[in-house]
């Protein structure tokens, strides 16, 4: 099952186990069960602290296995064979059940231990989903820390009937006590905050008590991270308030054009950004959504940023690096069938449409790459492009046109997402040349038509372009004294990671220059 290199790496990790671990497998005669049996034997062979037993339990999914300690009947459960992106989740679960401590903040771990109530979580994932491991690992850790919390991570590709019965068309999807709890990437603090009713109030009180910053950065993507490093290196008080550290990079799969890094994946790159920022004395306030910006009342005064939880942060200068989000089609049916066939992540959700016909909306690089990836999984892909020709790079177009199960339709204006009330069953588009309205029968729609800046909360405060981008000059200045901006939320052309990082550095240096000039003695 595991190759020799992976076995050697796993053996090294399992040397950190501090107490015995028991893997309790519930299997049947199927191929997936046989694959899981081989995986568990490979794991057992790497440590004398691990034992494997098989237990025939009619009330438990097959194939699945429980990671627990001998004599204990609770722990972390995986339903399916956790390879791919979830292999890391499996290794972490083995270590944590085996007594290896988590690196999460001590106060957050204590909060999990003190949660009152019974919480039974189920997470549906796909092996190709790069957002799923964060959710799976967070819930696994919660079930290790608190005996009243259980978690089962379920491979949607293995348990396809459950996916269809619950009409799940996007991963990760989480259920709590049988009811839909959430979908998409979630971190431990975010999950805990949703079930701990007093968390937001306590968090706001802590934030309100913070002293004023010299530089406050709103947003934690490449631009925000670069700004934080450059500001902190000046020895000034620096803070980052981010809705999710890493930003849009977390939703990116392959990164092959960041100079000096030949190839990496978005979540890995985002983790490296955060590690670099934490090398300095930067106050990172994650999972914080900005609500309002209040300019300084007098020159050299403090700028205020109000957060969704009611807290107000103050700073001598502010750098806005709130990034962008996927653009919607804004047609009837899109919102109704979001996560019910309308999706924005082909890498995460593609496996859920195995053997089914789908459409990709958008003929740029993102759309063509999505269609190429999906063609290897789904039955058929129809790519719809509004313009008369595709806008993707020539090499991508050649690859796309070589695939036998892909159709390309240009001059296609999507007008409606069709469905049966529960899930998508088609799409309506207009031929922009003839005016003819046509329909396609399909089961999934992957929207890849660009990005929108996250600047709605800034309307009426800083100057925005007609596209909603923050207007800045060459130094990152906005029209508001002491307020700067950088990255995909601004008018800087070419929304690229390397450009955003450079813009973040520029904004930080400009903020520092502004600060020393406005506070110099007369």
């Amino acid at each position: 099952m595991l190759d020799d290199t992976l076995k050697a790496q796993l053996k090294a990790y399992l040397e950190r186990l501090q107490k015995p671990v028991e893997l309790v497998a519930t299997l049947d005669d199927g191929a997936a069960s046989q694959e899981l049996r081989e995986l568990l034997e490979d794991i057992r062979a790497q440590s004398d602290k691990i034992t494997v037993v098989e237990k025939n339990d009619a009330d438990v999914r097959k194939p699945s296995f429980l990671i627990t300690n001998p004599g204990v009947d609770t722990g972390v459960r995986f339903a399916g064979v956790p390879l791919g992106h979830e292999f890391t989740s499996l290794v972490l679960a083995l270590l944590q059940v085996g007594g290896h401590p988590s690196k999460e903040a001590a106060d957050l771990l204590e909060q999990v231990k003190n949660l009152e109530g019974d919480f039974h979580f189920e997470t549906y994932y796909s092996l190709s989903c790069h957002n799923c491991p964060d959710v799976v690992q967070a819930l696994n850790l919660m079930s290790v820390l608190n005996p009243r919390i259980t978690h089962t991570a379920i491979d949607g590709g293995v348990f396809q009937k459950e996916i269809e019965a619950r009409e799940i068309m996007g991963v990760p999807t989480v259920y709590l006590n049988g009811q839909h709890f959430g979908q998409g990437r979630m971190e431990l603090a975010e999950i805990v905050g949703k079930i701990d009713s007093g968390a937001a109030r306590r968090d706001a009180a802590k934030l309100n008590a913070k002293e004023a910053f010299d530089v406050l950065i709103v947003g934690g993507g490449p631009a925000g991270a670069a700004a934080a490093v450059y500001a902190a290196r000046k020895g000034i008080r620096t803070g980052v308030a981010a809705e999710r550290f890493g930003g849009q990079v977390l939703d990116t799969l392959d990164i092959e054009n960041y100079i000096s890094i030949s190839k990496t994946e978005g979540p890995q790159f985002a983790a490296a950004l955060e590690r670099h920022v934490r090398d300095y004395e930067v106050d990172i306030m994650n999972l914080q959504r900005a609500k309002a910006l209040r300019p300084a009342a007098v020159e050299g005064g403090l700028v205020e940023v109000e957060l969704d939880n009611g807290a107000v942060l103050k700073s001598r200068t502010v750098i806005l690096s709130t990034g962008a989000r996927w653009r919607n089609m804004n047609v009837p049916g899109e919102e109704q069938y979001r996560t019910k066939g309308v999706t924005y992540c082909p890498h995460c959700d593609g496996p859920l449409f195995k053997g089914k016909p789908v459409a990709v909306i958008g003929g740029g690089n993102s759309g063509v790459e999505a269609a190429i990836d999906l063609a290897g999984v789904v039955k058929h892909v129809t790519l719809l492009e509004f313009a008369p020709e595709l806008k993707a790079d020539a090499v991508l177009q050649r690859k796309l046109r070589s695939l036998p199960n892909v159709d390309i339709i240009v001059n296609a204006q999507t007008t409606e997402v069709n469905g049966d009330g529960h899930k998508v069953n088609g799409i309506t588009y207009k031929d922009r040349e003839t005016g003819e309205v046509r329909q396609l029968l399909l089961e999934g729609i992957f929207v890849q038509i660009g990005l929108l800046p996250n600047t709605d909360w800034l309307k009426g405060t800083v100057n925005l372009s007609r596209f909603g981008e923050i207007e800045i000059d060459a130094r990152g200045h906005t029209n508001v004294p002491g307020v700067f901006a950088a990255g995909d939320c601004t008018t800087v052309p070419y929304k690229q990671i390397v450009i955003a990082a450079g813009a973040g550095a520029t904004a930080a240096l400009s903020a520092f220059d502004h600060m020393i000039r406005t506070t110099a003695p007369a």
Side-chain angles (χ1 to χ4, degrees):
M1 170 59 67
L2 302 179
D3 61 35
D4 290 340
T5 300
L6 204 53
K7 288 178 181 178
Q9 293 173 346
L10 180 59
K11 184 179 182 67
Y13 279 118
L14 296 180
E15 289 177 357
R16 304 176 186 179
L17 294 177
Q18 299 176 13
K19 55 185 178 181
V21 173
E22 187 173 73
L23 307 180
V24 183
T26 306
L27 308 172
D28 54 22
D29 296 329
S33 286
Q34 181 56 37
E35 187 179 3
L36 180 56
R37 183 179 283 112
E38 293 176 9
L39 173 62
L40 298 183
E41 284 302 316
D42 279 352
I43 295 172
R44 182 199 58 76
Q46 308 313 313
S47 174
D48 57 7
K49 284 189 169 66
I50 295 180
T51 56
V52 177
V53 298
E54 292 192 22
K55 181 179 179 181
N56 187 15
D57 191 335
D59 297 327
V60 175
R61 293 178 178 87
K62 299 177 182 178
S64 69
F65 66 101
L66 183 71
I67 306 175
T68 187
N69 306 113
V72 180
D73 59 1
T74 60
V76 175
R77 181 175 291 278
F78 284 93
V81 186
L83 296 174
H85 285 293
E86 290 305 332
F87 187 70
T88 301
S89 302
L90 168 59
V91 174
L92 277 176
L94 289 167
L95 293 175
Q96 290 163 356
V97 173
H100 188 69
S102 168
K103 294 182 179 180
E104 292 284 354
D107 57 345
L108 181 57
L109 298 178
E110 194 63 27
Q111 187 179 357
V112 174
K113 293 176 183 178
N114 293 331
L115 287 172
E116 296 183 357
D118 295 312
F119 304 97
H120 305 292
F121 288 99
E122 299 167 294
T123 302
Y124 290 89
Y125 67 85
S126 69
L127 296 179
S128 61
C129 171
H130 55 282
N131 286 325
C132 294
D134 278 356
V135 178
V136 171
Q137 290 165 23
L139 291 169
N140 282 349
L141 177 58
M142 290 175 66
S143 69
V144 172
L145 295 172
N146 190 323
R148 299 183 68 178
I149 300 175
T150 64
H151 177 230
T152 301
I154 307 160
D155 183 351
V158 175
F159 294 90
Q160 193 68 36
K161 290 183 179 179
E162 290 188 37
I163 291 287
E164 294 173 358
R166 283 179 155 172
E167 298 182 342
I168 295 171
M169 295 185 175
V171 290
T173 293
V174 181
Y175 282 78
L176 171 58
N177 297 337
Q179 301 297 315
H180 186 270
F181 175 76
Q183 185 165 358
R185 189 186 190 94
M186 290 182 284
E187 297 181 9
L188 177 61
E190 183 178 358
I191 296 171
V192 174
K194 289 183 70 172
I195 60 177
D196 185 351
S197 58
R201 175 179 48 78
R202 295 193 301 271
D203 196 25
K206 290 180 182 178
L207 294 172
N208 277 327
K210 291 183 180 291
E211 296 180 8
F213 295 95
D214 291 317
V215 176
L216 174 63
I217 299 148
V218 184
V229 169
Y230 269 76
R233 286 174 63 86
K234 293 295 185 182
I236 56 180
R237 180 167 164 73
T238 304
V240 177
E243 189 168 352
R244 54 174 189 162
F245 205 98
Q248 191 75 12
V249 169
L250 291 166
D251 301 324
T252 304
L253 190 59
D254 293 332
I255 298 172
E256 299 178 341
N257 57 0
Y258 194 86
I259 310 307
S260 82
I261 301 176
S262 298
K263 183 175 181 178
T264 185
E265 293 185 351
Q268 295 175 358
F269 188 82
L273 289 178
E274 185 170 354
R275 285 195 302 270
H276 195 177
V277 173
R278 290 190 183 277
D279 286 341
Y280 299 90
E281 293 185 8
V282 176
D283 189 345
I284 297 179
M285 297 157 282
N286 206 11
L287 304 178
Q288 302 300 331
R289 184 183 180 92
K291 179 181 179 180
L293 175 73
R294 292 194 279 271
V298 296
E299 183 178 358
L302 296 176
V303 182
E304 295 184 350
V305 175
E306 182 180 354
L307 305 177
D308 257 4
N309 61 12
V312 176
L313 301 173
K314 300 178 181 180
S315 183
R316 295 163 72 182
T317 60
V318 167
I319 297 174
L320 304 170
S321 58
T322 50
R325 63 191 183 277
W326 291 116
R327 183 188 297 273
N328 295 324
M329 295 182 292
N330 292 320
V331 299
E334 179 180 19
E335 190 61 35
Q336 178 183 357
Y337 292 106
R338 185 186 297 269
T339 76
K340 297 299 181 183
V342 176
T343 181
Y344 302 81
C345 183
H347 308 295
C348 300
D349 300 334
L352 302 180
F353 295 86
K354 183 178 181 180
K356 299 177 181 179
V358 304
V360 173
I361 312 301
N365 282 349
S366 296
V368 171
E369 287 173 351
I372 292 170
D373 289 344
L374 289 166
V377 177
V378 305
K379 179 181 180 181
H380 188 272
V381 180
T382 303
L383 186 144
L384 302 176
E385 164 57 38
F386 182 85
E389 58 187 22
L390 302 185
K391 295 169 284 186
D393 294 342
V395 64
L396 294 175
Q397 292 193 42
R398 286 196 297 270
K399 173 65 176 177
L400 181 69
R401 295 180 192 279
S402 73
L403 301 174
N405 62 334
V406 174
D407 286 334
I408 301 170
I409 303 175
V410 296
N411 279 316
Q413 179 182 352
T414 304
T415 58
E416 186 173 1
V417 172
N418 307 321
D420 61 7
H422 298 283
K423 59 183 179 179
V424 165
N425 61 18
I427 194 169
T428 301
Y429 72 95
K430 182 175 75 173
D431 186 318
R432 297 178 58 238
E433 281 191 317
T434 65
E436 182 181 356
V437 176
R438 300 171 181 169
Q439 289 188 335
L440 292 173
L441 298 178
L442 43 81
E443 297 185 47
I445 300 171
F446 292 81
V447 183
Q448 300 284 295
I449 55 175
L451 303 171
L452 281 175
N454 295 318
T455 57
D456 293 345
W457 63 287
L458 294 168
K459 291 178 180 178
T461 307
V462 298
N463 289 343
L464 303 177
S465 72
R466 64 189 181 93
F467 301 109
E469 300 166 320
I470 303 170
E471 294 182 347
I472 58 172
D473 64 15
R475 295 177 177 268
H477 288 268
T478 71
N479 64 300
V480 178
V483 178
F484 305 81
D488 288 3
C489 64
T490 73
T491 49
V492 169
Y494 311 119
K495 312 305 186 187
Q496 298 292 308
I497 295 173
V498 68
I499 293 174
T506 298
L509 295 173
S510 296
F512 179 73
D513 182 71
H514 170 85
M515 190 178 66
I516 60 176
R517 292 177 184 276
T518 55
T519 58

